[in-house]
Amino acid sequence: MREKGLSEDTLFSFLLSKKKEDIDHAHILSSMCTIPHPVAVRAHLQFMETNLGDPGLFPGTTSLERLLVERLGALFSLPSACGYATSGGTESNIQALRMARQLAGVERPNVVIPESAHFSFQKACDILCLEMRTVALDSGFRMDPQSARELIDRNTCCMVGIAGTTEYGVVDPISELSGIAKDLGVFFHVDAAFGGMVLPFLKHSPVFDFSLPGVSSLAVDPHKMGMSTIPAGVLLVRERESLCSLSVDTPYLTVKQEFTLSGTRPGASAVGALAVLEFLGMEGMRDIVAGCMKNTYRLIDGMETYGISRAVIPDVNVATFGPARIPPPWKVSWTRRGHLRLVCMPHVHAGVVESFLKDIGEHNA
Ligand code: PLP
């Protein structure tokens, strides 16, 4: 560390020069995050110093976290849902599996997870010493319910379904999986980290939420399609007891117990997430999601006119394709199966899509 500090001018021009090395969002087609909505930024700045990890010191901020949980619970058909603001899908998924393991209380627990699951489940299984049983996908890259049923045994503490897969943007057959979970009495976690902020705003979308009686918990990330500041995830549970199974004593805080994974937790981004929901309402979210879906379909059509075929018709705003040459400066990604993957986030507006298609046309003629 420096003996004598820098002047503010020098410091900030150094920081700005580094920020300029980052990729301009106008060329990012690979990310599930986006430029935060201005109201999220404003709320974030207003709540910078708040710590949800010590709720007695921040009762106002804590009540806003409760309101965020209530709003999302209602959006997912369970206004009485319990939950809390996490750092994102990874933490929510780890905590869901931790709850399921705790509740099952079996000696050698396993979890049944689709092949398409986000790599956060690998981390969760590693940390929690869970055997990960992978379910094959069907031709549309969705989890096969029959194979899932066959992999479940008495040591299965959790089954996972994905509502909006990271790579192909499809929704697993959550309704059928919920039926299996109910039949076999297995905890069922739905990872809607991405799709949770898309599917409720579409005219026609598969059912994936707490309206299905087998769904035990659900992860949703406002810092993805919810346009919140980072980090903002939310874990929701049907039964409060599930969360309580994770409680530890916190003797020196203003509360005596906590069930969260992190201790210190930012109020700023949780309030940012709530601010977007309150500001846009259903109407505003429907408009944004409709725009993203329109751009996704335009991208698919445009690519197909160049002979670059789609891999699947997605349920959310993720488009995947066969091989293509991608010129700089575009930032795209590739799935484990080798498909080109593009995510039409709100910053990927119609002009960006057209300019990308023009470049693709020139490089793939
Ligand atoms: N689950 C899904 C479906 C995701 O797409 C992602 C990230 O893209 C995650 C979980 C992990 O979220 P995070 O990176 O916010 O921890």
Side-chain angles (χ1 to χ4, degrees):
M1 197 166 157
R2 301 168 187 281
E3 187 55 37
K4 195 168 161 33
L6 293 176
S7 75
E8 211 169 313
D9 280 354
T10 312
L11 171 64
F12 278 91
S13 65
F14 167 67
L15 297 183
L16 189 61
S17 72
K18 286 291 158 192
K19 187 148 195 263
K20 282 184 177 155
E21 291 174 16
D22 291 347
I23 308 295
D24 185 346
H25 265 84
H27 295 118
I28 300 179
L29 304 183
S30 56
S31 178
M32 290 190 143
C33 288
T34 191
I35 300 167
H37 192 287
V39 301
V41 176
R42 184 168 171 192
H44 191 112
L45 291 172
Q46 207 170 71
F47 284 78
M48 281 306 280
E49 72 288 7
T50 60
N51 171 18
L52 291 170
D54 207 351
L57 301 182
F58 302 98
T61 312
T62 301
S63 73
L64 294 176
E65 181 189 29
R66 272 201 301 273
L67 187 56
L68 173 66
V69 167
E70 200 181 305
R71 290 281 190 262
L72 291 173
L75 185 67
F76 301 131
S77 313
L78 187 67
S80 63
C82 296
Y84 77 97
T86 66
S87 59
T90 300
E91 179 181 337
S92 301
N93 290 338
I94 292 172
Q95 287 283 83
L97 264 50
R98 197 173 150 224
M99 276 187 300
R101 190 190 67 167
Q102 209 73 357
L103 294 167
V106 291
E107 224 168 88
R108 290 162 185 260
N110 68 66
V111 291
V112 171
I113 289 181
E115 220 178 78
S116 53
H118 183 261
F119 52 79
S120 49
F121 288 101
Q122 246 168 289
K123 299 182 191 178
C125 289
D126 185 26
I127 295 167
L128 299 167
C129 299
L130 296 167
E131 180 199 342
M132 185 160 141
R133 297 190 173 175
T134 314
V135 183
L137 307 181
D138 64 18
S139 58
F141 306 107
R142 293 178 180 86
M143 177 177 183
D144 173 35
Q146 206 39 47
S147 309
R149 186 188 273 275
E150 281 160 20
L151 286 175
I152 293 174
D153 63 17
R154 57 195 183 84
N155 288 324
T156 302
C157 67
C158 186
M159 175 171 66
V160 173
I162 320 287
T165 57
T166 314
E167 291 182 302
Y168 290 93
V170 295
V171 178
D172 285 331
I174 305 294
S175 174
E176 245 179 293
L177 292 166
S178 156
I180 293 174
K182 239 356 211 175
D183 263 10
L184 304 180
V186 172
F187 190 99
F188 180 32
H189 174 62
V190 175
D191 180 358
F194 189 76
M197 285 284 105
V198 178
L199 298 163
F201 309 111
L202 293 174
K203 273 209 187 87
H204 306 286
S205 67
V207 186
F208 70 99
D209 66 9
F210 289 110
S211 58
L212 301 167
V215 174
S216 315
S217 62
L218 187 147
V220 57
D221 279 1
H223 70 202
K224 295 187 168 72
M225 279 297 291
M227 294 162 291
S228 175
T229 48
I230 296 171
V234 173
L235 174 63
L236 295 168
V237 297
R238 182 182 292 279
E239 311 280 357
R240 187 169 179 79
E241 294 68 47
S242 311
L243 275 179
C244 292
S245 72
L246 302 180
S247 289
V248 297
D249 293 339
T250 52
Y252 62 85
L253 295 182
T254 51
V255 280
K256 295 297 151 231
Q257 289 206 314
E258 73 178 20
F259 44 66
T260 56
L261 186 59
S262 310
T264 303
R265 293 186 298 122
S269 46
V271 178
L274 176 68
V276 177
L277 299 184
E278 296 296 273
F279 181 75
L280 292 176
M282 293 295 292
E283 206 177 55
M285 281 302 298
R286 269 187 219 115
D287 283 351
I288 287 173
V289 167
C292 292
M293 293 307 292
K294 188 171 169 206
N295 292 336
T296 308
Y297 296 134
R298 165 67 190 130
L299 192 56
I300 293 175
D301 278 354
M303 294 290 271
E304 294 205 312
T305 59
Y306 299 133
I308 303 165
S309 340
R310 62 164 193 255
V312 68
I313 299 177
D315 296 312
V316 296
N317 41 323
V318 177
T320 45
F321 302 94
R325 279 190 292 278
I326 310 297
W330 298 106
K331 293 291 172 196
V332 301
S333 58
W334 301 88
T335 70
R336 283 171 277 190
R337 295 180 185 218
H339 290 110
L340 167 64
R341 167 184 174 271
L342 308 169
V343 190
C344 282
M345 294 302 289
H347 66 266
V348 183
H349 48 74
V352 173
V353 171
E354 293 311 323
S355 132
F356 176 75
L357 285 172
K358 185 166 165 286
D359 282 2
I360 288 292
E362 283 164 13
H363 283 77
N364 291 268

